[in-house]
Amino acid sequence: MSHTSLHLMDTFKIGRLGKTHGVKGELTFHFTDDVFDRTEADYVFVEIDGLQVPFFFEEYRFRSEQTALVKFEGVDDADRATQMVGCDVFFPRELCDSNDDELSWAEITGFSIIDAGSGRLVGEVKAVNLTTINTLFEVLSPDGRQLLIPANDDLVADIDRQQRTIAMNIPQGLLELT
């Protein structure tokens, strides 16, 4: 019998499920990225007890810029839906339209930042902070330091979607500040 390794699908977080809506299993979905609508995706992953489980959309409708009501296949009553309240929702990277030059902020999470000048690994993007005037990459360096790097178009030299790297022209001294 051959041993096959379990291939973990590469995903990124796009939101969280909120409270139930009605009695038919609908849930409020608070999303930080509308990639599921832009790419005609049939499913998303919902993290339940630490595992990402695929759920297929039966239907969804937008309520606002950040919320939608979702109905997943197989989630047909409020009790089943209640078990999913508060669960994080993830999207498979492979479903993203590779021809689309625009990467969403959520998609960039997990990319490596490379110093374009030296080719040195700066660290991995753990989050994108949109709460400040200037958008910041929250980066964890190889030596465990938390770095804040401006997500500025002028600093980004190249983005390689396949390698999941962002080459940046990082100003002298910026990495020493943090």
Side-chain angles (χ1 to χ4, degrees), residues 26-58:
E26 269 191 322
L27 285 149
T28 308
F29 175 27
H30 303 282
F31 55 88
T32 52
D33 191 317
D34 67 353
V35 65
F36 63 94
D37 191 53
R38 288 183 286 125
T39 59
E40 298 296 315
D42 295 329
Y43 65 96
V44 290
F45 288 91
V46 178
E47 189 169 273
I48 299 172
D49 296 330
L51 292 174
Q52 291 185 16
V53 181
F55 280 90
F56 286 82
F57 289 117
E58 196 167 293

PDB file of all heavy atoms in Angstrom, residues 26-58:
ATOM      1  N   GLU A  26     -28.846  30.244   7.491  1.00  0.00           N
ATOM      2  CA  GLU A  26     -28.062  31.363   6.970  1.00  0.00           C
ATOM      3  C   GLU A  26     -27.190  31.952   8.070  1.00  0.00           C
ATOM      4  O   GLU A  26     -27.548  31.944   9.241  1.00  0.00           O
ATOM      5  CB  GLU A  26     -28.980  32.470   6.424  1.00  0.00           C
ATOM      6  CG  GLU A  26     -29.304  32.335   4.975  1.00  0.00           C
ATOM      7  CD  GLU A  26     -29.990  33.581   4.423  1.00  0.00           C
ATOM      8  OE1 GLU A  26     -30.820  34.182   5.128  1.00  0.00           O
ATOM      9  OE2 GLU A  26     -29.673  33.946   3.278  1.00  0.00           O
ATOM     10  N   LEU A  27     -26.023  32.454   7.649  1.00  0.00           N
ATOM     11  CA  LEU A  27     -25.096  33.088   8.579  1.00  0.00           C
ATOM     12  C   LEU A  27     -24.676  34.446   8.048  1.00  0.00           C
ATOM     13  O   LEU A  27     -24.595  34.651   6.832  1.00  0.00           O
ATOM     14  CB  LEU A  27     -23.834  32.228   8.736  1.00  0.00           C
ATOM     15  CG  LEU A  27     -23.965  30.963   9.571  1.00  0.00           C
ATOM     16  CD1 LEU A  27     -23.030  29.890   9.066  1.00  0.00           C
ATOM     17  CD2 LEU A  27     -23.672  31.288  11.019  1.00  0.00           C
ATOM     18  N   THR A  28     -24.376  35.353   8.967  1.00  0.00           N
ATOM     19  CA  THR A  28     -23.790  36.625   8.582  1.00  0.00           C
ATOM     20  C   THR A  28     -22.300  36.384   8.368  1.00  0.00           C
ATOM     21  O   THR A  28     -21.649  35.737   9.181  1.00  0.00           O
ATOM     22  CB  THR A  28     -23.984  37.672   9.695  1.00  0.00           C
ATOM     23  OG1 THR A  28     -25.366  37.709  10.034  1.00  0.00           O
ATOM     24  CG2 THR A  28     -23.542  39.045   9.245  1.00  0.00           C
ATOM     25  N   PHE A  29     -21.775  36.878   7.256  1.00  0.00           N
ATOM     26  CA  PHE A  29     -20.360  36.693   6.917  1.00  0.00           C
ATOM     27  C   PHE A  29     -19.718  38.074   6.866  1.00  0.00           C
ATOM     28  O   PHE A  29     -20.079  38.897   6.035  1.00  0.00           O
ATOM     29  CB  PHE A  29     -20.264  35.959   5.574  1.00  0.00           C
ATOM     30  CG  PHE A  29     -18.869  35.786   5.030  1.00  0.00           C
ATOM     31  CD1 PHE A  29     -17.757  35.731   5.858  1.00  0.00           C
ATOM     32  CD2 PHE A  29     -18.671  35.669   3.662  1.00  0.00           C
ATOM     33  CE1 PHE A  29     -16.481  35.559   5.337  1.00  0.00           C
ATOM     34  CE2 PHE A  29     -17.401  35.504   3.133  1.00  0.00           C
ATOM     35  CZ  PHE A  29     -16.311  35.446   3.972  1.00  0.00           C
ATOM     36  N   HIS A  30     -18.821  38.341   7.813  1.00  0.00           N
ATOM     37  CA  HIS A  30     -18.079  39.610   7.844  1.00  0.00           C
ATOM     38  C   HIS A  30     -16.785  39.375   7.091  1.00  0.00           C
ATOM     39  O   HIS A  30     -15.919  38.647   7.562  1.00  0.00           O
ATOM     40  CB  HIS A  30     -17.792  40.028   9.292  1.00  0.00           C
ATOM     41  CG  HIS A  30     -19.037  40.158  10.118  1.00  0.00           C
ATOM     42  ND1 HIS A  30     -19.863  41.250  10.042  1.00  0.00           N
ATOM     43  CD2 HIS A  30     -19.599  39.314  11.019  1.00  0.00           C
ATOM     44  CE1 HIS A  30     -20.890  41.085  10.872  1.00  0.00           C
ATOM     45  NE2 HIS A  30     -20.757  39.917  11.473  1.00  0.00           N
ATOM     46  N   PHE A  31     -16.654  39.968   5.910  1.00  0.00           N
ATOM     47  CA  PHE A  31     -15.479  39.682   5.093  1.00  0.00           C
ATOM     48  C   PHE A  31     -14.555  40.880   4.993  1.00  0.00           C
ATOM     49  O   PHE A  31     -14.981  42.030   5.052  1.00  0.00           O
ATOM     50  CB  PHE A  31     -15.878  39.188   3.688  1.00  0.00           C
ATOM     51  CG  PHE A  31     -16.798  40.116   2.939  1.00  0.00           C
ATOM     52  CD1 PHE A  31     -16.304  41.137   2.146  1.00  0.00           C
ATOM     53  CD2 PHE A  31     -18.171  39.950   3.014  1.00  0.00           C
ATOM     54  CE1 PHE A  31     -17.141  41.984   1.454  1.00  0.00           C
ATOM     55  CE2 PHE A  31     -19.030  40.801   2.316  1.00  0.00           C
ATOM     56  CZ  PHE A  31     -18.510  41.813   1.534  1.00  0.00           C
ATOM     57  N   THR A  32     -13.260  40.584   4.875  1.00  0.00           N
ATOM     58  CA  THR A  32     -12.248  41.624   4.695  1.00  0.00           C
ATOM     59  C   THR A  32     -11.788  41.648   3.245  1.00  0.00           C
ATOM     60  O   THR A  32     -11.005  42.498   2.858  1.00  0.00           O
ATOM     61  CB  THR A  32     -11.033  41.352   5.606  1.00  0.00           C
ATOM     62  OG1 THR A  32     -10.594  40.006   5.380  1.00  0.00           O
ATOM     63  CG2 THR A  32     -11.414  41.519   7.070  1.00  0.00           C
ATOM     64  N   ASP A  33     -12.274  40.687   2.445  1.00  0.00           N
ATOM     65  CA  ASP A  33     -11.877  40.580   1.046  1.00  0.00           C
ATOM     66  C   ASP A  33     -13.028  39.943   0.281  1.00  0.00           C
ATOM     67  O   ASP A  33     -13.531  38.900   0.690  1.00  0.00           O
ATOM     68  CB  ASP A  33     -10.625  39.701   0.943  1.00  0.00           C
ATOM     69  CG  ASP A  33      -9.990  39.757  -0.425  1.00  0.00           C
ATOM     70  OD1 ASP A  33     -10.735  39.705  -1.421  1.00  0.00           O
ATOM     71  OD2 ASP A  33      -8.758  39.832  -0.503  1.00  0.00           O
ATOM     72  N   ASP A  34     -13.463  40.569  -0.830  1.00  0.00           N
ATOM     73  CA  ASP A  34     -14.591  40.029  -1.592  1.00  0.00           C
ATOM     74  C   ASP A  34     -14.134  39.116  -2.724  1.00  0.00           C
ATOM     75  O   ASP A  34     -14.825  38.942  -3.716  1.00  0.00           O
ATOM     76  CB  ASP A  34     -15.471  41.158  -2.135  1.00  0.00           C
ATOM     77  CG  ASP A  34     -14.760  41.999  -3.178  1.00  0.00           C
ATOM     78  OD1 ASP A  34     -13.547  41.798  -3.403  1.00  0.00           O
ATOM     79  OD2 ASP A  34     -15.411  42.872  -3.785  1.00  0.00           O
ATOM     80  N   VAL A  35     -12.948  38.495  -2.558  1.00  0.00           N
ATOM     81  CA  VAL A  35     -12.381  37.617  -3.593  1.00  0.00           C
ATOM     82  C   VAL A  35     -13.352  36.497  -3.973  1.00  0.00           C
ATOM     83  O   VAL A  35     -13.418  36.093  -5.126  1.00  0.00           O
ATOM     84  CB  VAL A  35     -11.009  37.052  -3.148  1.00  0.00           C
ATOM     85  CG1 VAL A  35     -11.146  36.139  -1.949  1.00  0.00           C
ATOM     86  CG2 VAL A  35     -10.307  36.349  -4.292  1.00  0.00           C
ATOM     87  N   PHE A  36     -14.167  36.031  -3.015  1.00  0.00           N
ATOM     88  CA  PHE A  36     -15.115  34.950  -3.309  1.00  0.00           C
ATOM     89  C   PHE A  36     -16.147  35.389  -4.348  1.00  0.00           C
ATOM     90  O   PHE A  36     -16.683  34.574  -5.080  1.00  0.00           O
ATOM     91  CB  PHE A  36     -15.808  34.457  -2.029  1.00  0.00           C
ATOM     92  CG  PHE A  36     -16.653  35.512  -1.347  1.00  0.00           C
ATOM     93  CD1 PHE A  36     -18.010  35.608  -1.613  1.00  0.00           C
ATOM     94  CD2 PHE A  36     -16.080  36.397  -0.450  1.00  0.00           C
ATOM     95  CE1 PHE A  36     -18.782  36.576  -0.989  1.00  0.00           C
ATOM     96  CE2 PHE A  36     -16.840  37.364   0.168  1.00  0.00           C
ATOM     97  CZ  PHE A  36     -18.200  37.465  -0.100  1.00  0.00           C
ATOM     98  N   ASP A  37     -16.410  36.680  -4.419  1.00  0.00           N
ATOM     99  CA  ASP A  37     -17.374  37.189  -5.400  1.00  0.00           C
ATOM    100  C   ASP A  37     -16.681  37.544  -6.719  1.00  0.00           C
ATOM    101  O   ASP A  37     -17.244  37.360  -7.783  1.00  0.00           O
ATOM    102  CB  ASP A  37     -18.079  38.420  -4.826  1.00  0.00           C
ATOM    103  CG  ASP A  37     -19.271  38.836  -5.667  1.00  0.00           C
ATOM    104  OD1 ASP A  37     -20.135  37.976  -5.921  1.00  0.00           O
ATOM    105  OD2 ASP A  37     -19.327  40.002  -6.082  1.00  0.00           O
ATOM    106  N   ARG A  38     -15.452  38.025  -6.639  1.00  0.00           N
ATOM    107  CA  ARG A  38     -14.724  38.441  -7.848  1.00  0.00           C
ATOM    108  C   ARG A  38     -14.263  37.263  -8.692  1.00  0.00           C
ATOM    109  O   ARG A  38     -14.003  37.420  -9.876  1.00  0.00           O
ATOM    110  CB  ARG A  38     -13.500  39.287  -7.459  1.00  0.00           C
ATOM    111  CG  ARG A  38     -13.855  40.669  -6.960  1.00  0.00           C
ATOM    112  CD  ARG A  38     -12.609  41.489  -6.661  1.00  0.00           C
ATOM    113  NE  ARG A  38     -11.976  41.042  -5.425  1.00  0.00           N
ATOM    114  CZ  ARG A  38     -10.713  40.656  -5.322  1.00  0.00           C
ATOM    115  NH1 ARG A  38      -9.927  40.644  -6.360  1.00  0.00           N
ATOM    116  NH2 ARG A  38     -10.207  40.283  -4.166  1.00  0.00           N
ATOM    117  N   THR A  39     -14.116  36.082  -8.111  1.00  0.00           N
ATOM    118  CA  THR A  39     -13.547  34.962  -8.853  1.00  0.00           C
ATOM    119  C   THR A  39     -14.548  33.838  -9.126  1.00  0.00           C
ATOM    120  O   THR A  39     -14.169  32.786  -9.570  1.00  0.00           O
ATOM    121  CB  THR A  39     -12.356  34.350  -8.089  1.00  0.00           C
ATOM    122  OG1 THR A  39     -12.837  33.921  -6.819  1.00  0.00           O
ATOM    123  CG2 THR A  39     -11.233  35.329  -7.912  1.00  0.00           C
ATOM    124  N   GLU A  40     -15.827  34.081  -8.856  1.00  0.00           N
ATOM    125  CA  GLU A  40     -16.840  33.050  -9.119  1.00  0.00           C
ATOM    126  C   GLU A  40     -16.521  31.747  -8.404  1.00  0.00           C
ATOM    127  O   GLU A  40     -16.589  30.674  -8.990  1.00  0.00           O
ATOM    128  CB  GLU A  40     -16.962  32.797 -10.640  1.00  0.00           C
ATOM    129  CG  GLU A  40     -17.405  34.000 -11.438  1.00  0.00           C
ATOM    130  CD  GLU A  40     -18.809  34.458 -11.086  1.00  0.00           C
ATOM    131  OE1 GLU A  40     -19.707  33.615 -10.966  1.00  0.00           O
ATOM    132  OE2 GLU A  40     -19.001  35.668 -10.921  1.00  0.00           O
ATOM    133  N   ALA A  41     -16.145  31.832  -7.159  1.00  0.00           N
ATOM    134  CA  ALA A  41     -15.793  30.642  -6.385  1.00  0.00           C
ATOM    135  C   ALA A  41     -17.053  29.905  -5.927  1.00  0.00           C
ATOM    136  O   ALA A  41     -18.053  30.538  -5.595  1.00  0.00           O
ATOM    137  CB  ALA A  41     -14.969  31.037  -5.167  1.00  0.00           C
ATOM    138  N   ASP A  42     -16.976  28.594  -5.913  1.00  0.00           N
ATOM    139  CA  ASP A  42     -18.103  27.782  -5.460  1.00  0.00           C
ATOM    140  C   ASP A  42     -18.045  27.496  -3.968  1.00  0.00           C
ATOM    141  O   ASP A  42     -19.031  27.102  -3.371  1.00  0.00           O
ATOM    142  CB  ASP A  42     -18.112  26.421  -6.185  1.00  0.00           C
ATOM    143  CG  ASP A  42     -18.352  26.575  -7.673  1.00  0.00           C
ATOM    144  OD1 ASP A  42     -19.057  27.517  -8.067  1.00  0.00           O
ATOM    145  OD2 ASP A  42     -17.826  25.750  -8.432  1.00  0.00           O
ATOM    146  N   TYR A  43     -16.851  27.628  -3.390  1.00  0.00           N
ATOM    147  CA  TYR A  43     -16.698  27.240  -1.997  1.00  0.00           C
ATOM    148  C   TYR A  43     -15.636  28.090  -1.298  1.00  0.00           C
ATOM    149  O   TYR A  43     -14.843  28.776  -1.935  1.00  0.00           O
ATOM    150  CB  TYR A  43     -16.317  25.761  -1.886  1.00  0.00           C
ATOM    151  CG  TYR A  43     -14.957  25.436  -2.475  1.00  0.00           C
ATOM    152  CD1 TYR A  43     -13.824  25.374  -1.670  1.00  0.00           C
ATOM    153  CD2 TYR A  43     -14.806  25.190  -3.840  1.00  0.00           C
ATOM    154  CE1 TYR A  43     -12.586  25.078  -2.193  1.00  0.00           C
ATOM    155  CE2 TYR A  43     -13.561  24.886  -4.379  1.00  0.00           C
ATOM    156  CZ  TYR A  43     -12.466  24.835  -3.555  1.00  0.00           C
ATOM    157  OH  TYR A  43     -11.230  24.550  -4.079  1.00  0.00           O
ATOM    158  N   VAL A  44     -15.666  28.004   0.025  1.00  0.00           N
ATOM    159  CA  VAL A  44     -14.637  28.593   0.878  1.00  0.00           C
ATOM    160  C   VAL A  44     -14.318  27.545   1.949  1.00  0.00           C
ATOM    161  O   VAL A  44     -15.003  26.526   2.057  1.00  0.00           O
ATOM    162  CB  VAL A  44     -15.115  29.906   1.558  1.00  0.00           C
ATOM    163  CG1 VAL A  44     -15.262  31.022   0.556  1.00  0.00           C
ATOM    164  CG2 VAL A  44     -16.405  29.693   2.342  1.00  0.00           C
ATOM    165  N   PHE A  45     -13.274  27.794   2.717  1.00  0.00           N
ATOM    166  CA  PHE A  45     -12.948  26.919   3.841  1.00  0.00           C
ATOM    167  C   PHE A  45     -13.352  27.621   5.132  1.00  0.00           C
ATOM    168  O   PHE A  45     -13.093  28.811   5.306  1.00  0.00           O
ATOM    169  CB  PHE A  45     -11.450  26.622   3.882  1.00  0.00           C
ATOM    170  CG  PHE A  45     -11.000  25.692   2.789  1.00  0.00           C
ATOM    171  CD1 PHE A  45     -10.568  26.186   1.578  1.00  0.00           C
ATOM    172  CD2 PHE A  45     -11.031  24.321   2.981  1.00  0.00           C
ATOM    173  CE1 PHE A  45     -10.161  25.325   0.564  1.00  0.00           C
ATOM    174  CE2 PHE A  45     -10.630  23.450   1.983  1.00  0.00           C
ATOM    175  CZ  PHE A  45     -10.190  23.955   0.769  1.00  0.00           C
ATOM    176  N   VAL A  46     -13.977  26.866   6.023  1.00  0.00           N
ATOM    177  CA  VAL A  46     -14.340  27.382   7.337  1.00  0.00           C
ATOM    178  C   VAL A  46     -13.505  26.611   8.352  1.00  0.00           C
ATOM    179  O   VAL A  46     -13.453  25.380   8.319  1.00  0.00           O
ATOM    180  CB  VAL A  46     -15.849  27.188   7.608  1.00  0.00           C
ATOM    181  CG1 VAL A  46     -16.201  27.681   9.016  1.00  0.00           C
ATOM    182  CG2 VAL A  46     -16.686  27.925   6.556  1.00  0.00           C
ATOM    183  N   GLU A  47     -12.822  27.357   9.227  1.00  0.00           N
ATOM    184  CA  GLU A  47     -11.965  26.698  10.219  1.00  0.00           C
ATOM    185  C   GLU A  47     -12.806  26.265  11.411  1.00  0.00           C
ATOM    186  O   GLU A  47     -13.363  27.092  12.128  1.00  0.00           O
ATOM    187  CB  GLU A  47     -10.837  27.627  10.667  1.00  0.00           C
ATOM    188  CG  GLU A  47      -9.813  26.892  11.524  1.00  0.00           C
ATOM    189  CD  GLU A  47      -8.568  27.720  11.758  1.00  0.00           C
ATOM    190  OE1 GLU A  47      -7.658  27.654  10.920  1.00  0.00           O
ATOM    191  OE2 GLU A  47      -8.528  28.434  12.765  1.00  0.00           O
ATOM    192  N   ILE A  48     -12.912  24.938  11.571  1.00  0.00           N
ATOM    193  CA  ILE A  48     -13.695  24.360  12.658  1.00  0.00           C
ATOM    194  C   ILE A  48     -12.760  23.472  13.468  1.00  0.00           C
ATOM    195  O   ILE A  48     -12.156  22.551  12.920  1.00  0.00           O
ATOM    196  CB  ILE A  48     -14.880  23.541  12.100  1.00  0.00           C
ATOM    197  CG1 ILE A  48     -15.807  24.460  11.292  1.00  0.00           C
ATOM    198  CG2 ILE A  48     -15.635  22.857  13.233  1.00  0.00           C
ATOM    199  CD1 ILE A  48     -16.902  23.738  10.541  1.00  0.00           C
ATOM    200  N   ASP A  49     -12.616  23.798  14.746  1.00  0.00           N
ATOM    201  CA  ASP A  49     -11.717  23.038  15.636  1.00  0.00           C
ATOM    202  C   ASP A  49     -10.313  22.902  15.046  1.00  0.00           C
ATOM    203  O   ASP A  49      -9.713  21.828  15.077  1.00  0.00           O
ATOM    204  CB  ASP A  49     -12.289  21.639  15.935  1.00  0.00           C
ATOM    205  CG  ASP A  49     -13.598  21.711  16.708  1.00  0.00           C
ATOM    206  OD1 ASP A  49     -13.775  22.684  17.472  1.00  0.00           O
ATOM    207  OD2 ASP A  49     -14.438  20.811  16.536  1.00  0.00           O
ATOM    208  N   GLY A  50      -9.806  23.978  14.451  1.00  0.00           N
ATOM    209  CA  GLY A  50      -8.437  23.993  13.943  1.00  0.00           C
ATOM    210  C   GLY A  50      -8.257  23.383  12.565  1.00  0.00           C
ATOM    211  O   GLY A  50      -7.158  23.386  12.030  1.00  0.00           O
ATOM    212  N   LEU A  51      -9.319  22.847  11.977  1.00  0.00           N
ATOM    213  CA  LEU A  51      -9.237  22.263  10.636  1.00  0.00           C
ATOM    214  C   LEU A  51     -10.012  23.119   9.647  1.00  0.00           C
ATOM    215  O   LEU A  51     -11.110  23.587   9.957  1.00  0.00           O
ATOM    216  CB  LEU A  51      -9.836  20.849  10.625  1.00  0.00           C
ATOM    217  CG  LEU A  51      -9.079  19.773  11.393  1.00  0.00           C
ATOM    218  CD1 LEU A  51      -9.890  18.488  11.405  1.00  0.00           C
ATOM    219  CD2 LEU A  51      -7.714  19.526  10.781  1.00  0.00           C
ATOM    220  N   GLN A  52      -9.454  23.296   8.455  1.00  0.00           N
ATOM    221  CA  GLN A  52     -10.149  24.046   7.416  1.00  0.00           C
ATOM    222  C   GLN A  52     -11.012  23.080   6.600  1.00  0.00           C
ATOM    223  O   GLN A  52     -10.497  22.196   5.922  1.00  0.00           O
ATOM    224  CB  GLN A  52      -9.145  24.785   6.533  1.00  0.00           C
ATOM    225  CG  GLN A  52      -8.465  25.912   7.290  1.00  0.00           C
ATOM    226  CD  GLN A  52      -7.555  26.746   6.419  1.00  0.00           C
ATOM    227  OE1 GLN A  52      -7.619  26.694   5.205  1.00  0.00           O
ATOM    228  NE2 GLN A  52      -6.703  27.524   7.049  1.00  0.00           N
ATOM    229  N   VAL A  53     -12.310  23.258   6.714  1.00  0.00           N
ATOM    230  CA  VAL A  53     -13.286  22.376   6.075  1.00  0.00           C
ATOM    231  C   VAL A  53     -13.947  23.116   4.913  1.00  0.00           C
ATOM    232  O   VAL A  53     -14.418  24.239   5.090  1.00  0.00           O
ATOM    233  CB  VAL A  53     -14.367  21.955   7.111  1.00  0.00           C
ATOM    234  CG1 VAL A  53     -15.383  21.017   6.484  1.00  0.00           C
ATOM    235  CG2 VAL A  53     -13.722  21.336   8.344  1.00  0.00           C
ATOM    236  N   PRO A  54     -13.987  22.497   3.720  1.00  0.00           N
ATOM    237  CA  PRO A  54     -14.625  23.183   2.593  1.00  0.00           C
ATOM    238  C   PRO A  54     -16.149  23.201   2.729  1.00  0.00           C
ATOM    239  O   PRO A  54     -16.759  22.188   3.072  1.00  0.00           O
ATOM    240  CB  PRO A  54     -14.198  22.357   1.367  1.00  0.00           C
ATOM    241  CG  PRO A  54     -13.838  21.013   1.905  1.00  0.00           C
ATOM    242  CD  PRO A  54     -13.419  21.195   3.321  1.00  0.00           C
ATOM    243  N   PHE A  55     -16.744  24.357   2.477  1.00  0.00           N
ATOM    244  CA  PHE A  55     -18.195  24.506   2.446  1.00  0.00           C
ATOM    245  C   PHE A  55     -18.572  25.166   1.126  1.00  0.00           C
ATOM    246  O   PHE A  55     -17.992  26.185   0.743  1.00  0.00           O
ATOM    247  CB  PHE A  55     -18.698  25.364   3.612  1.00  0.00           C
ATOM    248  CG  PHE A  55     -18.792  24.606   4.905  1.00  0.00           C
ATOM    249  CD1 PHE A  55     -17.723  24.546   5.768  1.00  0.00           C
ATOM    250  CD2 PHE A  55     -19.978  23.957   5.254  1.00  0.00           C
ATOM    251  CE1 PHE A  55     -17.807  23.835   6.962  1.00  0.00           C
ATOM    252  CE2 PHE A  55     -20.068  23.246   6.448  1.00  0.00           C
ATOM    253  CZ  PHE A  55     -18.981  23.185   7.301  1.00  0.00           C
ATOM    254  N   PHE A  56     -19.542  24.567   0.450  1.00  0.00           N
ATOM    255  CA  PHE A  56     -19.997  25.092  -0.832  1.00  0.00           C
ATOM    256  C   PHE A  56     -21.137  26.075  -0.619  1.00  0.00           C
ATOM    257  O   PHE A  56     -22.018  25.853   0.206  1.00  0.00           O
ATOM    258  CB  PHE A  56     -20.440  23.942  -1.747  1.00  0.00           C
ATOM    259  CG  PHE A  56     -19.279  23.160  -2.287  1.00  0.00           C
ATOM    260  CD1 PHE A  56     -18.683  22.173  -1.521  1.00  0.00           C
ATOM    261  CD2 PHE A  56     -18.773  23.441  -3.544  1.00  0.00           C
ATOM    262  CE1 PHE A  56     -17.591  21.461  -2.014  1.00  0.00           C
ATOM    263  CE2 PHE A  56     -17.683  22.741  -4.043  1.00  0.00           C
ATOM    264  CZ  PHE A  56     -17.090  21.753  -3.272  1.00  0.00           C
ATOM    265  N   PHE A  57     -21.083  27.164  -1.375  1.00  0.00           N
ATOM    266  CA  PHE A  57     -22.152  28.158  -1.298  1.00  0.00           C
ATOM    267  C   PHE A  57     -23.426  27.600  -1.929  1.00  0.00           C
ATOM    268  O   PHE A  57     -23.398  27.078  -3.034  1.00  0.00           O
ATOM    269  CB  PHE A  57     -21.785  29.423  -2.087  1.00  0.00           C
ATOM    270  CG  PHE A  57     -20.716  30.260  -1.469  1.00  0.00           C
ATOM    271  CD1 PHE A  57     -19.506  30.455  -2.129  1.00  0.00           C
ATOM    272  CD2 PHE A  57     -20.906  30.885  -0.245  1.00  0.00           C
ATOM    273  CE1 PHE A  57     -18.518  31.252  -1.578  1.00  0.00           C
ATOM    274  CE2 PHE A  57     -19.924  31.681   0.315  1.00  0.00           C
ATOM    275  CZ  PHE A  57     -18.728  31.855  -0.358  1.00  0.00           C
ATOM    276  N   GLU A  58     -24.534  27.713  -1.210  1.00  0.00           N
ATOM    277  CA  GLU A  58     -25.823  27.481  -1.846  1.00  0.00           C
ATOM    278  C   GLU A  58     -26.258  28.819  -2.440  1.00  0.00           C
ATOM    279  O   GLU A  58     -26.709  28.905  -3.568  1.00  0.00           O
ATOM    280  CB  GLU A  58     -26.826  26.965  -0.818  1.00  0.00           C
ATOM    281  CG  GLU A  58     -28.060  26.346  -1.410  1.00  0.00           C
ATOM    282  CD  GLU A  58     -28.850  25.590  -0.359  1.00  0.00           C
ATOM    283  OE1 GLU A  58     -28.350  24.553   0.146  1.00  0.00           O
ATOM    284  OE2 GLU A  58     -29.954  26.049  -0.039  1.00  0.00           O
TER     285      GLU A  58
END
